[in-house]
Amino acid sequence: MSTDTRGSWGSRFGFVLAAAGSAVGLGHIWRFPYVTGENGGAAFVILYILCVFMIGVPILFAELSLGRHSHKNPVGAIKAIAPTGVWKYLGYLGVATGLFILSYYTLIAGWTFGYIFKTLFQNPITFTEFSTNAPLNAFLYIIFLLMSIGVVYGGVQGGIERWSKILMPILPVILLFIIIYSLTLEGAMEGVRFYLRPDFSVITGETVMIALGQAFFANSLGMGAMITYGSYLNKNENIIAAGTIVVIFGIFISFLAGFAIFPAVFAMGQSPAAGPELVFVILPTIFELMPGGILIGTLFFLLLAIAALTSAISLLEVPVSFLIDERKMRRKVATWLVGGITLLFGIPSALSFGASDFFSNLPFWSGQSFFGMMDYIFGSIALPLGGMLFSIFVAWRWGLIGANKEISLGNASFLGIQSTVWGVIIKYICPIVIFGVFLYSTGIISL
Ligand code: PHE
């Protein structure tokens, strides 16, 4: 195989940073505050953390080991174990989910890119003026998509790894600055209470579904991104250690993002349930007020755009590596093809924020936007569904013996009690709990 088609990571640290780069993105800084705000605050945060550790982490190990075992994309990884039968459709589900998430992810990523310049040049344009400006949105969308294509074009080491290495560590520092200022605002404590003092009466079946979806979204699980990234891992890497570092770093970033946003939301008398625009309405106001806000704000949106880029490339890499491995396409052709399809599905999402009445209030989706529908179907439903099927596939079809052997390469101590615990979780707990959450959220079962 030529290095142009299938590479591997340059170092252990390179992998951790690239996986953290995939995981840490808009999911933590934009999506986490917005779904937390819509779903009642602290109680949701606790549910989210439970979902991450109980379901997300074990599935992360399953995906990484499946990827490294086969050195393939999600479809190829499944076919390597189950060459015939219906399992390969699980791989296709992952590839399709990646593509659809990318189609609206790129829109939000384009906004962060636009907000770099809005903040730097102190442009007073409001969020509504910004989001209804179709040519501007199209422009930002295409620019961001081209940047993602550019990185994926470069292949594994040249592109993804280099970018992640340089930039990921700066993000928490900037968030800390924002938090310190946010906490000094009058009325900030009410936001802290909303964020940290749980009220479990707000939890519904749908809330649990969304918390579970967020655990998958934020950690890039359930669609094979971590299978694909695992496929570039060397056999002597420690999957458990690398995976755990990535998840903990992600939780830390999410936690900081909420701390930056909610005190300010309440101090400014805004609603935490504003939806996808929450971060784009609140943060610019903070940057206008805080000392050094132009510099910190510009840097913040720059880093957020870069964090979004390292995630977008992982979404793009899944369909691309599928086309390379399974359809024998050249990397460049595959990347352009996937980019083109993404753009096509991105258009209705871009029109969802007021530019088109129809896409902003879908009559067949209880008046919600096309964007909202996509994020719900793919971000909150398809990822947990994929995760459930991956856990069933690994535990019941591949078998725990094979999976344990793969994980223990590079971590011999895994074969004791750790593998037993992981085995029980992946074989029984993950499928049953996820299935239960599906039933609970549809109201079929209630507690
Ligand atoms: N985890 C990424 C983020 O938080 C988004 C993502 C989801 C990336 C699924 C890959 C797969 O921004």
Side-chain angles (χ1 to χ4, degrees):
M1 243 178 269
S2 85
T3 48
D4 174 50
T5 51
R6 181 154 271 284
S8 72
W9 306 110
S11 66
R12 153 90 185 277
F13 194 51
F15 168 76
V16 170
L17 281 176
S22 164
V24 177
L26 295 172
H28 298 76
I29 294 164
W30 156 76
R31 200 177 190 271
F32 173 76
Y34 117 63
V35 292
T36 301
E38 276 186 342
N39 291 284
F44 180 87
V45 176
I46 293 174
L47 260 182
Y48 167 69
I49 293 175
L50 270 178
C51 289
V52 171
F53 285 108
M54 203 168 80
I55 309 289
V57 170
I59 289 185
L60 174 61
F61 299 157
E63 283 199 31
L64 288 176
S65 61
L66 190 56
R68 191 176 64 178
H69 173 74
S70 60
H71 286 302
K72 286 270 166 52
N73 67 87
V75 175
I78 284 174
K79 279 202 199 150
I81 288 163
T84 55
V86 293
W87 276 113
K88 65 170 182 285
Y89 293 105
L90 170 56
Y92 294 147
L93 174 72
V95 170
T97 305
L99 218 142
F100 286 122
I101 291 182
L102 183 64
S103 77
Y104 66 84
Y105 196 89
T106 304
L107 176 73
I108 309 295
W111 290 356
T112 63
F113 192 64
Y115 268 62
I116 300 172
F117 301 98
K118 173 175 153 47
T119 315
L120 181 62
F121 298 116
Q122 300 169 59
N123 187 316
I125 183 174
T126 64
F127 175 78
T128 316
E129 285 162 353
F130 180 88
S131 69
T132 48
N133 185 332
L136 177 64
N137 276 275
F139 173 73
L140 293 171
Y141 192 104
I142 290 171
I143 293 277
F144 194 86
L145 189 59
L146 286 177
M147 290 197 291
S148 316
I149 289 176
V151 179
V152 170
Y153 228 75
V156 176
Q157 267 191 47
I160 303 173
E161 189 171 337
R162 196 177 57 207
W163 279 100
S164 309
K165 225 185 237 171
I166 307 171
L167 298 156
M168 289 314 296
I170 314 174
L171 201 57
V173 181
I174 295 286
L175 279 170
L176 269 177
F177 276 111
I178 304 174
I179 293 172
I180 292 170
Y181 180 74
S182 197
L183 285 175
T184 63
L185 295 171
E186 207 183 312
M189 278 310 129
E190 208 186 319
V192 175
R193 269 193 292 277
F194 173 81
Y195 190 44
L196 297 183
R197 191 185 288 166
D199 166 11
F200 288 101
S201 67
V202 297
I203 300 295
T204 64
E206 177 142 323
T207 322
V208 182
M209 189 73 241
I210 293 174
L212 184 64
Q214 176 63 15
F216 278 85
F217 192 100
N219 294 295
S220 308
L221 297 171
M223 42 75 72
M226 289 300 169
I227 296 182
T228 309
Y229 272 37
S231 75
Y232 305 123
L233 263 178
N234 290 327
K235 291 285 182 197
N236 56 4
E237 304 286 4
N238 185 339
I239 288 180
I240 304 289
T244 309
I245 295 172
V246 171
V247 170
I248 289 178
F249 183 65
I251 292 217
F252 177 60
I253 295 285
S254 284
F255 190 71
L256 292 185
F259 238 115
I261 305 277
F262 290 115
V265 169
F266 283 82
M268 292 170 191
Q270 303 267 0
S271 159
E277 56 254 56
L278 183 68
V279 170
F280 291 92
V281 172
I282 299 300
L283 288 176
T285 321
I286 301 184
F287 297 141
E288 263 166 42
L289 297 172
M290 86 188 265
I294 300 175
L295 182 69
I296 291 179
T298 307
L299 213 57
F300 172 80
F301 282 117
L302 179 69
L303 287 173
L304 186 53
I306 291 162
L309 184 65
T310 54
S311 300
I313 54 186
S314 74
L315 286 160
L316 185 55
E317 179 70 14
V318 172
V320 167
S321 68
F322 160 71
L323 292 173
I324 293 173
D325 294 343
E326 305 303 311
R327 298 283 181 268
K328 307 285 170 255
M329 236 177 237
R330 286 190 17 243
R331 178 171 276 276
K332 299 201 160 137
V333 181
T335 314
W336 281 114
L337 180 66
V338 177
I341 302 174
T342 303
L343 178 62
L344 211 65
F345 284 99
I347 294 169
S349 280
L351 298 174
S352 283
F353 291 85
S356 143
D357 242 6
F358 178 76
F359 290 118
S360 307
N361 312 286
L362 290 180
F364 58 87
W365 199 261
S366 46
Q368 286 188 37
S369 67
F370 181 86
F371 175 93
M373 180 182 80
M374 293 290 279
D375 192 32
Y376 186 69
I377 296 181
F378 293 101
S380 296
I381 308 281
L383 294 179
L385 179 67
M388 179 180 85
L389 297 173
F390 279 133
S391 67
I392 296 174
F393 179 77
V394 166
W396 297 88
R397 181 65 179 81
W398 184 16
L400 291 175
I401 297 176
N404 282 334
K405 211 169 111 202
E406 184 63 46
I407 298 179
S408 68
L409 299 172
N411 180 354
S413 67
F414 181 72
L415 282 179
I417 178 86
Q418 291 179 41
S419 66
T420 315
V421 174
W422 178 74
V424 171
I425 296 180
I426 209 77
K427 194 163 183 176
Y428 304 104
I429 301 197
C430 287
I432 294 172
V433 170
I434 299 173
F435 191 64
V437 172
F438 274 120
L439 295 184
Y440 181 46
S441 74
T442 52
I444 295 175
I445 55 171
S446 59
L447 296 179

